[in-house]
Amino acid sequence: MAASSYYYSLQSEIDANRALVDREAPDFITTGISITEFEPTGQARRRVYADYAEHFTDGRLSTLGPKMVTLSVDEPQLIASADAGQSLDGGETYFFTGNVTVTRAGDRNQAPMRFTTTHLTVFPDTSRIETDAAVRLESGSDITTGIGMTLDNVERTVDIHSNVRTSVLPKRAQENQDQEQ
């Protein structure tokens, strides 16, 4: 009987302490973080950096100065950075906001790309990025602007959704511009 009473006394204290835990307070805070995610084969998949990060018990993550870099040898390297970032689902999606810049390395068939926007959603597991905001895309000497975009890094496609405008610099003008620099 005494053991049973003692057990229930301890259990009551534990339950009371659990109730005191603030679900909105981070379970850890860090600065200068770098996290590398790996494939089941042991190959590095991507690396995520942040100047400051707060992690919550439910898997949420809030960051300042986030940067995500893909490391797969099968697709061009993609680098996304922003002023702030957040994941609400344990890293399955990331929301980047403020001065968002995404670059994709070039290859034999495609020039390097760089685009800027105000916010976007990153789907790391499928190598897709989407935004409904205005975007500016620079590919080689070509500049395309529009509203909304989907980038698929596996298929190597970019779809600008509306109000698309493209400026193409003729090759001769580009060569002259390169020589002046």
Side-chain angles (χ1 to χ4, degrees):
M1 182 75 140
S4 177
S5 293
Y6 180 70
Y7 169 79
Y8 285 115
S9 172
L10 283 178
Q11 194 62 38
S12 295
E13 285 183 41
I14 291 170
D15 290 343
N17 286 336
R18 279 189 188 138
L20 294 176
V21 174
D22 183 357
R23 299 285 184 224
E24 292 305 311
D27 58 350
F28 74 82
I29 297 172
T30 186
T31 59
I33 190 171
S34 172
I35 301 169
T36 304
E37 297 177 41
F38 293 90
E39 299 283 352
T41 62
Q43 169 105 15
R45 175 186 291 173
R46 77 183 129 265
R47 188 164 290 138
V48 179
Y49 304 89
D51 297 333
Y52 175 86
E54 295 180 344
H55 184 273
F56 297 84
T57 57
D58 61 2
R60 289 178 294 140
L61 178 68
S62 293
T63 61
L64 296 177
K67 181 177 176 181
M68 182 180 296
V69 179
T70 62
L71 302 172
S72 173
V73 296
D74 299 332
E75 50 193 57
Q77 185 175 59
L78 192 71
I79 301 172
S81 62
D83 291 340
Q86 186 175 42
S87 176
L88 302 175
D89 55 11
E92 289 185 38
T93 56
Y94 289 94
F95 304 101
F96 279 21
T97 58
N99 297 309
V100 177
T101 301
V102 177
T103 59
R104 183 175 75 185
D107 59 20
R108 289 184 199 170
N109 301 320
Q110 294 181 335
M113 281 188 354
R114 176 180 189 272
F115 79 82
T116 55
T117 188
T118 58
H119 63 272
L120 58 79
T121 304
V122 179
F123 302 93
D125 289 338
T126 59
S127 292
R128 291 174 56 92
I129 294 176
E130 296 180 355
T131 186
D132 58 359
V135 296
R136 175 185 170 96
L137 170 66
E138 300 168 20
S139 180
S141 60
D142 302 341
I143 298 173
T144 302
T145 59
I147 306 295
M149 181 200 68
T150 302
L151 180 146
D152 186 325
N153 202 40
V154 174
E155 296 294 324
R156 300 180 187 181
T157 60
V158 176
D159 179 24
I160 308 248
H161 301 161
S162 65
N163 297 340
V164 180
R165 293 184 179 215
T166 299
S167 299
V168 178
L169 190 60
K171 186 171 177 117
R172 179 171 291 200
Q174 175 63 35
E175 289 170 356
N176 291 340
Q177 187 179 36
D178 290 343
Q179 288 173 356
E180 291 174 6
Q181 294 177 1

